[in-house]
Amino acid sequence: MEIKELNRELREKSLRRIDKKSPPELAASWSSEDLLYSGPGRTIFMVLPTSGCAWALSGSGGCTMCSYVADSPLEAVSAEEMLEIFHEHFEKQIQRQALEGPTAVKLFVSGSFLNPKEVPAEARRKILKSLADYPEIEEVVVESRPEYVIEEVLQECCEALPGKIFEVAMGLETGDERRRMNIINKGFSNAEFERAVQTIQELKSEYPIRSKAYLLVKPILTSEKEAIIDAIQSAEYAEQSGVDRISFCPSTIHKGTLMEILWRKGSYQPPWIWSVMEIIRRVRSLAKIPVIMDTAGFGTRRGPYNCKKCNSALKEMIIQSNITQTIPEDFECECRSKWLAEVEYSGITGSPSNLN
């Protein structure tokens, strides 16, 4: 059975099992220290409920590692309800901590903020205009697949945020087109990604607009050594394509995905944190743009891991290095020798299991 067919079947099964929740129940928000273009600051994160990622719901099965569509109501959310949820969570965050100093707002949906079928154009416009009223907010970040990165839409977004940086983050995942299409099942080519980045580049003379690439560390059917090499090469490709920032996302196991099936059968493991450290050291020494390494899930059963002695220490080192954009210092732990052995001797993590 081909990956795409299997992935589609798994997605259909997982969507049938979803315990549906209302849009307000699916919304979330929080804030933390972060690196802005101007330097260290605070970011307010908001997860807004939408009808769900169009790619995941298209019959393609979506990406082999992602289950965010399961956190959607799977039906249209009106502009009025989305705006109400946005204002409720934004007010909650600024009441918890007043806006002081450089601040960014990151707006997450399960798919593409720029797709009007997921986020109504009216809601998108009013959300951005409301953020324009706060001088402390320096940048607003949204996520989108490349096909929705259209000049007219970008102009509308930038004009709603006069003087503020508007960044579009795209899930490139890897610079290896074969891996992206056939293993991750992302559904877009290098040419499509490059077109989207170029569209953003061409608007820089008029607006403070930026682009960011998300890169996945260790897709399925990828050995530890290949994961390190692919991540470094993908960062080089992303920078050469013209993105302004790179954000690495080490794999974590999402429920209802092909990645989870392989993990349960012993045919996949998330990357070692040592691999993440190696990637960040090598990429930061080469890249001329900011590089962030996400630490979600570090040290957990479903996330990147080393051993209990060093998981937390290395996670904290990476978080601090994200803020300072420095190369993490050397660190020693007895589990490092096990990681070195796996990098040296492991082949491609294929699956001998019967996946039917």
Side-chain angles (χ1 to χ4, degrees), residues 50-58 77 82 109-124 142-150 153-154 157 166 168:
T50 71
S51 56
C53 174
W55 173 245
L57 297 172
S58 67
V77 179
M82 193 173 294
V109 296
S110 73
S112 298
F113 187 85
L114 301 182
N115 179 2
K117 292 183 178 179
E118 296 177 49
V119 179
E122 178 188 358
R124 182 181 68 216
V142 303
E143 300 176 339
S144 179
R145 286 176 60 85
E147 57 262 40
Y148 306 114
V149 179
I150 299 168
V153 174
L154 297 178
C157 292
F166 180 66
V168 180

Side-chain angles (χ1 to χ4, degrees), residues 117-351:
K117 292 183 178 179
E118 296 177 49
V119 179
E122 178 188 358
R124 182 181 68 216
R125 183 169 54 253
K126 288 183 176 179
I127 286 171
L128 297 180
K129 282 187 175 181
S130 69
L131 294 174
D133 295 334
Y134 296 87
E136 298 87 354
I137 296 176
E138 296 183 354
E139 55 189 75
V140 177
V141 183
V142 303
E143 300 176 339
S144 179
R145 286 176 60 85
E147 57 262 40
Y148 306 114
V149 179
I150 299 168
E151 182 177 352
E152 292 78 11
V153 174
L154 297 178
Q155 288 177 322
E156 180 186 291
C157 292
C158 291
E159 287 169 4
L161 291 164
K164 299 187 187 300
I165 291 173
F166 180 66
E167 182 179 71
V168 180
M170 291 175 280
L172 173 64
E173 317 303 358
T174 174
D176 183 335
E177 189 171 289
R178 179 196 62 81
R179 195 183 304 271
R180 186 185 323 112
M181 298 292 279
N182 299 327
I183 293 178
I184 300 174
N185 195 40
K186 196 74 185 185
F188 65 79
S189 65
N190 284 8
E192 291 173 282
F193 174 76
E194 291 164 14
R195 180 212 58 81
V197 174
Q198 184 60 33
T199 300
I200 292 169
Q201 291 276 36
E202 290 172 356
L203 289 173
K204 284 187 174 182
S205 61
E206 300 177 63
Y207 308 104
I209 189 169
R210 303 288 188 270
S211 62
K212 178 166 63 183
Y214 289 130
L215 297 177
L216 179 67
V217 179
K218 201 178 180 185
I220 60 171
L221 306 178
T222 304
S223 71
E224 202 74 16
K225 184 175 183 178
E226 286 180 319
I228 296 169
I229 294 170
D230 179 65
I232 295 166
Q233 292 178 343
S234 296
E236 291 174 351
Y237 167 75
E239 184 172 20
Q240 290 168 4
S241 297
V243 301
D244 299 285
R245 282 198 286 205
I246 291 170
S247 181
F248 281 106
C249 304
S251 289
T252 56
I253 309 297
H254 289 202
K255 291 183 178 180
T257 61
L258 180 54
M259 181 175 281
E260 184 189 44
I261 295 294
L262 293 172
W263 174 68
R264 287 190 179 279
K265 290 179 177 286
S267 297
Y268 176 82
Q269 284 293 335
W272 286 75
I273 298 177
W274 290 121
S275 295
V276 171
M277 292 286 283
E278 180 71 10
I279 291 164
I280 203 66
R281 282 190 178 118
R282 291 173 64 177
V283 172
R284 283 234 179 95
S285 67
L286 297 171
K288 295 180 176 61
I289 58 176
V291 178
I292 301 297
M293 180 66 72
D294 187 15
T295 57
F298 272 39
T300 67
R301 181 167 170 261
R302 288 175 172 258
Y305 65 93
N306 277 357
C307 74
K308 292 182 179 179
K309 294 180 180 179
C310 66
N311 283 335
S312 296
L314 290 175
K315 177 179 179 178
E316 185 58 31
M317 286 177 66
I318 293 170
I319 290 172
Q320 292 305 313
S321 79
N322 284 337
I323 302 297
T324 60
Q325 285 296 288
T326 53
I327 297 174
E329 297 177 0
D330 290 336
F331 191 94
E332 290 300 326
C333 183
E334 59 192 31
C335 70
R336 192 169 187 273
S337 60
K338 296 179 182 178
W339 165 72
L340 286 170
E342 182 168 345
V343 171
E344 182 66 25
Y345 298 112
S346 65
I348 294 177
T349 308
S351 176

Side-chain angles (χ1 to χ4, degrees), residues 1-13 59-62 64 181-183 185 258 355-356:
M1 183 180 289
E2 291 188 0
I3 284 179
K4 291 182 180 180
E5 182 182 348
L6 177 59
N7 196 53
R8 182 170 58 250
E9 288 188 9
L10 289 171
R11 182 72 66 188
E12 290 171 355
K13 288 179 182 178
S60 67
T64 55
M181 298 292 279
N182 299 327
I183 293 178
N185 195 40
L258 180 54
L355 299 178
N356 294 321

